[in-house]
C-alpha cells in the first residue's frame, strides 16, 4: 500500500512532536545555569522593550533569555546587558546543581569514609 500524502504528513507531524518532547526533556536534565535577568530587570525597574532598545537585541531573543529558555548567550550580549543594568555577570547567572548529580556525589563521598 503506497503512502498517501495525508499519512506522510501525519508521520512527519508525529516525528516533529517526538523530537520537540525529547529536546525539552533533554534540556531540563542538562541546563544547570539559571539566568536571573527578570530579577535584575525588576530591581532596576526596566521593562523588556526598554532594555531591548538599549542593547539592540530583538524583543524575542531578550524574552528567551528572560524566561530561561536560552541554550547559550554571547559574551558581547552579556556585556551589553550588564552595562544597561549596571550589574556584574554573576548578578545575572547562577549555577544550580542538579539533584541527581548531588545525590551521586553524596553517595560516593559516603563510600570513601
Amino acid at each position: 500500500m503506497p503512502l498517501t500524502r495525508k499519512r506522510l504528513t501525519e508521520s512527519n507531524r508525529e516525528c516533529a512532536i517526538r523530537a520537540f518532547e525529547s529536546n525539552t526533556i533533554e534540556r531540563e536534565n542538562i541546563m544547570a545555569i539559571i539566568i536571573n535577568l527578570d530579577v535584575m530587570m525588576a530591581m532596576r525597574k526596566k521593562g523588556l522593550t526598554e532594555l531591548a532598545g538599549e542593547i539592540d537585541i530583538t524583543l524575542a531573543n531578550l524574552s528567551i533569555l528572560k524566561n530561561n529558555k536560552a541554550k547559550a548567550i554571547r559574551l558581547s550580549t552579556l556585556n551589553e546587558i550588564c552595562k544597561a543594568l549596571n550589574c556584574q555577570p554573576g548578578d545575572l547567572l547562577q549555577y544550580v546543581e542538579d539533584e541527581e548529580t548531588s545525590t551521586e556525589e553524596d553517595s560516593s563521598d559516603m563510600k570513601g569514609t
Side-chain angles (χ1 to χ4, degrees):
M1 175 185 206
L3 283 176
T4 63
R5 183 178 209 146
K6 184 178 179 184
R7 286 182 63 199
L8 183 60
T9 304
E10 288 176 36
S11 176
N12 289 346
R13 191 175 304 132
E14 290 171 5
C15 287
I17 290 170
R18 276 195 301 273
F20 174 77
E21 289 172 346
S22 68
N23 186 33
T24 304
I25 292 167
E26 186 177 309
R27 282 186 64 206
E28 289 174 357
N29 291 337
I30 293 174
M31 205 45 88
I33 304 287
I34 309 258
I35 302 173
N36 292 314
L37 182 59
D38 54 343
V39 174
M40 192 54 63
M41 286 172 60
M43 289 173 64
R44 300 293 191 253
K45 296 184 171 111
K46 285 206 181 190
L48 203 61
T49 307
E50 182 184 357
L51 183 60
E54 284 181 26
I55 64 174
D56 195 30
I57 188 174
T58 65
L59 212 49
N61 284 338
L62 191 58
S63 180
I64 287 169
L65 285 170
K66 182 179 172 250
N67 294 318
N68 277 303
K69 301 216 186 251
K71 291 183 180 180
I73 182 170
R74 290 179 186 222
L75 291 178
S76 58
T77 303
L78 184 59
N79 181 57
E80 292 302 313
I81 291 172
C82 288
K83 270 193 225 176
L85 295 176
N86 191 26
C87 66
Q88 295 293 314
D91 297 331
L92 296 171
L93 303 175
Q94 177 184 6
Y95 174 76
V96 178
E97 191 170 342
D98 187 23
E99 288 179 24
E100 193 174 290
T101 306
S102 141
T103 306
E104 288 172 8
E105 288 176 1
D106 291 344
S107 63
S108 67
D109 287 346
M110 294 184 82
K111 288 178 185 174
T113 55

